[in-house]
Structures are given as C-alpha cells and as structure tokens.
Amino acid sequence: MSNIRVTYSGLFFFIIGIITIFTGLAFMLIITRSLTSQEYGTWNLINGLIMYAAIIQPVTSYWVTREIARGEKSGKTAVFSNGLFSSVGILIYLLVAFFTSNQTDVNQQILFFGVLLVPILFLNGVLGSINMGFKPHATSIGQFFLEISKIPLALFFVYFLDFGVSGIILAVFLGHIPSILLLSYSAREKIVGTIKKELFKKWIKLSWISLYPGIGSLLRSLDILIFSVITGSVIGLAYYGAAWSVSTLAVHSGSISAAVYSKLLGGGKADYLEDNITQIFYFAIPLSAISITFARPGLFALNPIYEIAAPLVLIMTMRVILDTFNKTFEQFITGVEKVDINSKSTFKNYVKSKLFVIPTIRLIQNGVYMVLLIGGLIFLSSNDFEFDLLIYWVLLGFFVSIPTTIYLYILVHRNFQIKIDFKRIIKYLFICLVTFVPVFLLAEQYLDYDERIIVFLPNLLVFIGLAIGGYLLLTCLLDLKTKQLFNSIITEIKTKLK
C-alpha cells in the first residue's frame, strides 16, 4: 500500500477535521443551550458507558485495518463478525447502565435508551477500519457526513420537539446512517466474496492482543463513572464535558498523520516522519492557543452557566496535546510491527512485540491514574467543593500522561532515528504568541458577553479569525517549508478542479 499519499490524506483529514469543528460547535450549541446541566451530565455519562460496550469492538477492527493494508480480503468477514460482537456490546452496556442508575441520580430509562447507539457505532467503526486500510481519506468523509447530519436532526428532536437527552440519542443514531452508506460504498470492493472462517478463528485466537489495549482504555474511561458515583451526581460531568469540548481542538492536528499507520503497514518508507511531526506541531500550536485564549468566551457560548469551568480548559488542552502525540507515536511504532504477518508466531513472540509492550505501558499508566483518582476523590470529597474535585481530576489526567509521552518518543527515536526540528517549532510558538496575545487583550476589552448566541458568536469568531489569520500569514512569510506546504495544497486543489 505504498501508493497511499501520507501528506495528501493527512491534509484531507485535517481540513475535514477543521470543518467538523464548526459543525461540532453547532451541535454542541444546540444541546448545551437546550438541556439543563442535569440532562447534559446524563448525556456525558451515556458517552462514557458506550466506551465500556465498545471494548470488544477491536476484536474485528484492530485486525481488519492491518490485513486490508496488506492486501488480505477480510472485509466481509469483519462486517459479519462485528455484528456478533455488537450483541455482546449491547449486553455490556445494559449491565453497566443498570449499575450506574442505582448509584446516581440519573434517569434509568434514559440510560437504557442509550443502548440504541451501540450497534450503529459498531457498524460505523468497522466500516471505517476497513477504509483506513486502503483509502484513509474516505473515513474522514464519513465523519463529515455524520457531523453534518447530526445538526438538523438535533434541531428537530432537541430544539423543536424538546425530547431532551432522548432527542440527542435519536439525532446521533440517525446521523450515522449517511456515514455508514458512504463508507459501505467506498469499501464495496473490500466487502465482497465469502465469509472466511479461518480469519474469524484467527481473530478470536488473537483476541487477547486486540482486546489488551482496550483494558487500559477501559481503565481510563472509568473516571467518568467513578466521579459520578463518588459525588452521587452528574452535574460535575456537565462542566467537565463542556470544558472538554472546548479543549479538544488540538486533537485535529493529529489528523495530519492519519494515513501514516496504513502506509507503514503496507511497507512504505518512513523518511517523511520528521516533517509529519513538525506539521502536527504547526497545527497543534494555534489550535491549542484558541482553546486557551478563548476558554471563557467559548464556554459562555455553549451556555453561560459553564463559564466558570475556564480553568479546566487550560489543563485539559495540555493533556489533549500529549494524548495527540501519544496516539501518533503509537501508530508509528505499531505500524512497522510485523509479528502478525508470520503465521508461526508464538505467544512469546507476540508478548515481546510492540503490539503488546505499548498497551502494557498504557495499562500501567491508567492503573496508576485510577488508584490516584479514587483515593484523591474519596479524600477530597468530604472537605472540598465539587469544582475542586474537577480541578484535581483534570490535573491528574495531565500529569499521568507525561511519562508515557516521554517513553513513546524515545521508542520512536530508536526505531526511526527521528530528530524533531525544534527551531521551527520554537518559531511557530513565537509567532503564535505575537498573534494571539494582542487579540486576547482586545477580546478582554471589547468582546461583549451578550447571552443571545446570534449576537455573541459572530463577534467571537471575528477575534478568533484575526488570531488564526495572523498566525497563518506570518508563518507563510517567515517559514519556507510552511509556504511550500500551502503552495502544494493550492496546486492539489487546482489539479482537482481541472
């Protein structure tokens, strides 16, 4: 699969990601302006419960991307087996929802209704994994269709019909249908033929490898459940969710490396990785600056009651940056692992491979995180306010990510001999400060916090546009490679339009 164009697919992912920032903002504004904090907290809890149900999804999706990238016709088998595993996911969701509803003040019927999302997420996920193996950019188009579709559906069910959390569930469920149709069409040549029992048996046999990373992820995702159980309320989750939605802009910078995994799996060269990492920094720096600089107005736009959560955004944004690079480094390292190509690989071979070692590091990290989180929340809950507990929660999430980032970078450096271009990165940071600090001071002075979103949002976007426009302009003028990157984008667009 060396014909995959990393920069082209990466930029495709990134551009779609930037577009979905605005569609996601529209969706968030609809639900945060329409729901009470209790209802919004319930929605965040449902998202957390779905992660527990999705823990078995990698049994299929983990392997199908690797095999499709290497030319194996495994798509139809993946879709069939994914349907079986989604049934197990439904059962897991219902069991966890039953337990959670008995420990918190959440509406049990609403939690149970959320199970509707499990099978549709499983199907969309496996189709995305198939496309990632040979046509990575199609996955981003599917995401775009999903985000666009959710907006009118949320307006209809949540804003006009006032269905509350049930309306969000219906909007997200129906919004997945256009994405599934597009991904199915894109992957049509990969989901034909017969269902291969030998592949299904292989996936079951090696499920301990595909499920193992999920154990660490499951541990990490338990924080939502633990916080709601210890505090006995979902109100804190509403503030956490609002802050998280403002903090996650930088995650889109990781889209630049979205096609690297498939490229490496297909045996492609790795000489582009240094530039790829620098490009992630180039986009991560201004996106993070938006989250931090406009934390307060961003939360105010979602709903004025969440404005006090601005300190959470600063900490969360730093964690998002680390998580973005962690995911990118993991893709680099596991993309060159070939233990699964050899049918004679033993249990010992797999345990020594990067497919097992990296999830083990994650498991240790998240295990420490859980112990410190539970202990800290129990200790603090008797004396401190709930917002202080939120501060502790997000600070802990940031600090436990630092050692993992350092370790993964060392692994990447050893495997690829990558040297990060710190001079260019420092240049980007300096330009970001030059453009964002004056805009921040202007916004503090002149931005009118009008509760009418139709008045406030356009004014906020003007200040954001000034900061981003200044950053892009100065980097193009002062950095040759950035200018070359944008020239290549313009050339590609002109080629497509001919």
Side-chain angles (χ1 to χ4, degrees), residues 187 222 300:
L222 283 172
F300 183 88

Side-chain angles (χ1 to χ4, degrees), residues 146-162:
L146 166 62
E147 295 296 330
I148 288 292
S149 301
K150 289 193 306 184
I151 296 173
L153 289 166
L155 278 172
F156 180 70
F157 288 115
V158 181
Y159 185 76
F160 291 112
L161 297 184
D162 195 23

Side-chain angles (χ1 to χ4, degrees), residues 403-420:
T404 304
T405 305
I406 295 172
Y407 175 77
L408 290 174
Y409 171 71
I410 292 172
L411 281 184
V412 168
H413 181 70
R414 288 177 180 172
N415 283 272
F416 302 101
Q417 300 301 311
I418 289 177
K419 294 182 180 179
I420 295 180

Side-chain angles (χ1 to χ4, degrees), residues 354-375:
K354 300 177 185 70
L355 301 183
F356 188 86
V357 172
I358 291 179
T360 300
I361 299 300
R362 283 288 198 184
L363 183 60
I364 294 171
Q365 170 199 331
N366 293 329
V368 172
Y369 171 65
M370 279 295 104
V371 172
L372 295 176
L373 179 65
I374 295 172

